[in-house]
Amino acid sequence: MSNFNINVGENNINNILNLNLFGINFKNPVFLAAGVMGETGSAMRRIAKNGAGAVCTKSIGIEKKPGHNNPTMVEVEGGFLNAMGLPNPGIDEYIEEIEYVRKQMHELDVKIIGSIYGKNEKEFAEVAEKIVDYVDLIELNISCPHAGGGYGSSIGQDCNLSHKVVSSVKNLSDVPVVAKLTPNVTDIKEIAVSVEDAGADGITAINTLGPGMVIDIDAKKPILGNIYGGMSGKAVKPIAIKNVYDIYSAVDIPIIGVGGITTGRDAIEFMMAGASAVQVGTGVYYRGYDIFNKINDEIKEYLLKNELSMNDIIGCVHK
Ligand code: DHB
């Protein structure tokens, strides 16, 4: 059962959303998830100006990658399927995007989470070494469900490989490291324990579900260029909540909850399951860029109305 100390603001309208996680002070617990609006510095700055406590980059690798052919994203009932194909300019070029907005992020008091991917611990370490001086926190993408080729969930579905990747990045610096886990496993607790044992400072849960597939019956063809892709959005929320609940019961490191959050009530549900902070990705499509301010206001309203602090609700359903 989680047993860490996170300092949060008490029942005071000005600091009730403040929290210290992994030794970092965040002005609020609502962060931008990897993969959405994290491709460029200016997109991240836009999210930062709309109230996020932290922004996460698109997952970045060593080499430039063009991504899959279009369509790479399709709306389905209850969410979206995506298979972007990890498009990114490669770490050397991407650093310029972070450089471009770093000062403004600092002025806005918004932290930067660097999401990185690789196909083994060596590649992860290589990217981490290059990004480490530019970010506040590193998030390891060991969970993309359709990456193939030894990337993504093929690491996160294996305790030993997950352990190796986390240790290699932890050995590099003092910057906190969180592992983003896939729900597409038999027992997420085993993977959570293995990344904790490797020294992870926290866990982000969950990445997209599946993969799934949609067919255009008029064209008689799959819609996505990659044929299948990961499911995100409102429909995945109950699965994400269950995974956060299970992880909280198995480890002592903080959890960042993600999966289908569009309202303050959703965020509070994740906190009650055990998340100390949350990330929002697909929700941006439903409620606009301003979703970060909206969710923060809704969490604040709930806490003040019920005379609670975030500490009172984090993991409260386990008691
Ligand atoms: C992609 C999709 C994901 O769900 C993920 O975790 C990483 C990358 C993508 O296709 O780019």
Side-chain angles (χ1 to χ4, degrees), residues 58-59 82-87 141 144-146 207-208:
K58 174 77 186 146
S59 294
N82 91 80
M84 316 301 288
L86 294 163
N141 180 355
C144 175
H146 53 265
N207 206 318
T208 47

Side-chain angles (χ1 to χ4, degrees), residues 86 117-118 124 141-145 147-148 150-157:
L86 294 163
Y117 74 85
F124 268 95
N141 180 355
I142 52 171
S143 43
C144 175
Y151 293 96
S153 62
S154 42
I155 296 173
Q157 287 167 335

Side-chain angles (χ1 to χ4, degrees), residues 253-273:
I253 48 178
I255 303 162
I256 303 175
V258 51
I261 296 171
T262 56
T263 66
R265 293 191 74 85
D266 294 337
I268 289 163
E269 199 179 336
F270 271 84
M271 289 178 174
M272 289 186 172

Side-chain angles (χ1 to χ4, degrees), residues 4-44:
F4 49 86
N5 191 9
I6 72 158
N7 295 315
V8 299
E10 287 309 315
N11 201 255
N12 169 323
I13 192 152
N14 295 317
N15 69 2
I16 196 166
L17 295 181
N18 297 167
L19 75 163
N20 182 292
L21 263 189
F22 325 116
I24 304 167
N25 287 319
F26 294 94
K27 66 179 178 181
N28 68 60
V30 185
F31 307 163
L32 174 71
V36 180
M37 299 294 292
E39 291 87 352
T40 64
S42 52
M44 289 190 280

